[in-house]
Amino acid sequence: MLLVVILRNYRKRKAEKRLKEECYILSLDGGGMRGVIPATILGHIDSLFHELGDKRPLHAHFDLIAGTSTGGLIACALSNPNEINLETREIVNLYLDHGPSIFPKGSPILPLNVLGQLFSQKYDDISFNALLKELFEETTLGEALTPTMVVTYDYTNNRPHILSSYKTPKTLMRLAARATSAAPTYFSPTTIYDEESASHISLIDGGVVANNPVLYAYREAKRLYPDAKRFHILSLSTGGTTPPKEVNKGLNGVIGWFDPTRGTPIYKVYATSQMQTSDEIASAIDDLEYVRIDGALERKIKLDETDPLVLGQMIERANQIFFENREKLETFCLPLTQRNINSKGIA
């Protein structure tokens, strides 16, 4: 009998050690209003966990949640400890309900701020800041329910800058969400006090350096969990587009590449090339299982698209992407149901 107890305890300790050596990360791309796509997919993943018998909130399954731009906003919403803590389906409603006020449209004859955008940002941030204030109040990153990080770019010192629950715990969640979403030409930079340099810095959208934050998420997880032997990243896209068959001859000169009426083409090139690089490198890392959930959209959709019909089409496409990848997601999620994660996400 004693031998049986000893053997059982040994197996339990061995299983617990193995689980601690596995690190699971959720990584969310940038993409403005296309964030409705990963938000919709997350709703399906949440339901999938319930089908597997695990009723814990989505954030509790991961050791780290990472995001860029709109993905950073979703990451903060998932980890938000406030009473207003959102379920995944409510995050989708944020895009549907608040998108038109954050990205108000002008006259169809003279698009809003086209001329002014040559000299200033396209939108003021009054409605956006009001929404972030309502969602996160005065909550700091250090209060996040799960270790959380968002990618920004330090325009003051010309370098990538990570805001996180463990490195910059005093930073307000709403400021972190605003900083990672400060897309150039759309919103003005966000100024915050940087504890490390003891100075104020200006931050812009993390999409300029990592629209797919997978590599930064992997690096941060390696630092957070030095005993982990294997890392598993579930990476959700905001939807790709099929490249045009013919070269757009209108993309000539500064005006052509920076034309705001075309969604600032040079920005799209940077974002796409960065994501392709991230995919290639992440797929080649030996101790990383990289599960990428992506799907082509029928046409290009601007960061500030708020047409209800288009949003509905994106949600429908997100549903398709989930079902196309359901088996892959079930394989990824099943081991997570067997893990015991505490309130800070540490196994």
Side-chain angles (χ1 to χ4, degrees):
M1 182 63 181
L2 179 59
L3 182 60
V4 172
V5 173
I6 293 175
L7 183 59
R8 184 184 299 125
N9 290 337
Y10 169 76
R11 288 177 175 172
K12 181 179 179 181
R13 288 194 301 270
K14 187 175 181 180
E16 290 174 348
K17 181 180 179 181
R18 180 181 59 79
L19 287 174
K20 288 182 179 180
E21 292 177 347
E22 305 284 329
C23 182
Y24 286 83
I25 304 153
L26 176 63
S27 178
L28 305 164
D29 281 13
M33 289 296 292
R34 296 200 310 272
V36 75
I37 293 174
T40 299
I41 294 173
L42 286 172
H44 285 296
I45 294 173
D46 204 9
S47 297
L48 180 58
F49 275 119
H50 287 193
E51 291 175 19
L52 294 172
D54 193 327
K55 306 295 184 181
R56 289 176 296 172
L58 191 64
H59 72 84
H61 296 91
F62 295 95
D63 300 298
L64 177 65
I65 300 177
T68 292
S69 194
T70 196
L73 173 59
I74 296 173
C76 290
L78 291 174
S79 293
N80 183 15
N82 289 343
E83 292 181 5
I84 201 171
N85 180 251
L86 300 174
E87 295 183 9
T88 49
R89 66 176 179 274
E90 294 173 314
I91 296 177
V92 173
N93 290 336
L94 287 180
Y95 291 90
L96 302 180
D97 297 340
H98 297 277
S101 62
I102 295 173
F103 299 115
K105 302 305 177 187
S107 165
I109 299 176
L110 181 62
L112 179 70
N113 286 341
V114 169
L115 182 60
Q117 198 179 353
L118 295 176
F119 306 98
S120 181
Q121 68 275 6
K122 188 174 183 179
Y123 301 103
D124 66 47
D125 57 4
I126 296 174
S127 296
F128 191 20
N129 288 339
L131 172 61
L132 296 177
K133 176 75 172 182
E134 178 184 347
L135 289 178
F136 303 115
E137 300 177 344
E138 299 303 304
T139 302
T140 64
L141 282 173
E143 298 174 77
L145 297 172
T146 294
T148 301
M149 56 156 282
V150 300
V151 181
T152 69
Y153 189 81
D154 178 358
Y155 180 74
T156 303
N157 298 296
N158 293 316
R159 62 188 182 189
H161 189 80
I162 302 297
L163 296 173
S164 68
S165 56
Y166 46 89
K167 277 187 177 180
T168 59
K170 295 181 181 179
T171 300
L172 294 176
M173 260 192 187
R174 58 183 172 86
L175 288 182
R178 174 65 178 80
T180 191
S181 304
T185 76
Y186 287 88
F187 290 114
S188 60
T190 298
T191 300
I192 69 166
Y193 180 77
D194 179 43
E195 298 174 41
E196 184 178 355
S197 64
S199 63
H200 286 86
I201 58 176
S202 292
L203 301 178
I204 60 176
D205 194 310
V208 303
V209 65
N211 207 51
N212 176 355
V214 59
L215 297 180
Y216 283 98
Y218 172 72
R219 184 193 68 177
E220 294 298 298
K222 294 277 282 188
R223 293 175 176 176
L224 265 177
Y225 304 99
D227 295 330
K229 299 294 190 296
R230 182 78 173 160
F231 297 84
H232 309 265
I233 296 184
L234 176 60
S235 173
L236 301 187
S237 165
T238 54
T241 54
T242 303
K245 295 181 180 179
E246 297 181 2
V247 176
N248 189 334
K249 297 180 179 180
L251 296 179
N252 294 317
V254 174
I255 296 299
W257 283 103
F258 286 89
D259 186 354
T261 64
R262 299 182 181 183
T264 319
I266 191 65
Y267 182 80
K268 293 181 180 179
V269 171
Y270 284 144
T272 301
S273 61
Q274 288 166 9
M275 287 192 288
Q276 290 172 339
T277 300
S278 296
D279 281 343
E280 291 180 10
I281 295 176
S283 299
I285 298 175
D286 290 338
D287 64 348
L288 173 61
E289 177 197 17
Y290 178 52
V291 177
R292 177 72 168 166
I293 305 300
D294 195 2
L297 304 177
E298 291 185 358
R299 64 178 180 85
K300 292 181 180 179
I301 297 176
K302 295 181 180 180
L303 298 178
D304 56 352
E305 179 62 73
T306 58
D307 185 327
L309 178 61
V310 178
L311 293 178
Q313 291 171 347
M314 284 196 286
I315 291 174
E316 180 58 33
R317 181 65 184 118
N319 293 334
Q320 295 172 356
I321 291 171
F322 169 77
F323 288 108
E324 290 167 0
N325 293 274
R326 183 184 174 96
E327 185 176 346
K328 183 191 299 186
L329 286 167
E330 284 183 355
T331 300
F332 185 92
C333 291
L334 185 58
L336 291 173
T337 65
Q338 302 167 5
R339 307 174 78 220
N340 183 21
I341 308 294
N342 67 23
S343 61
K344 283 295 182 181
I346 310 297

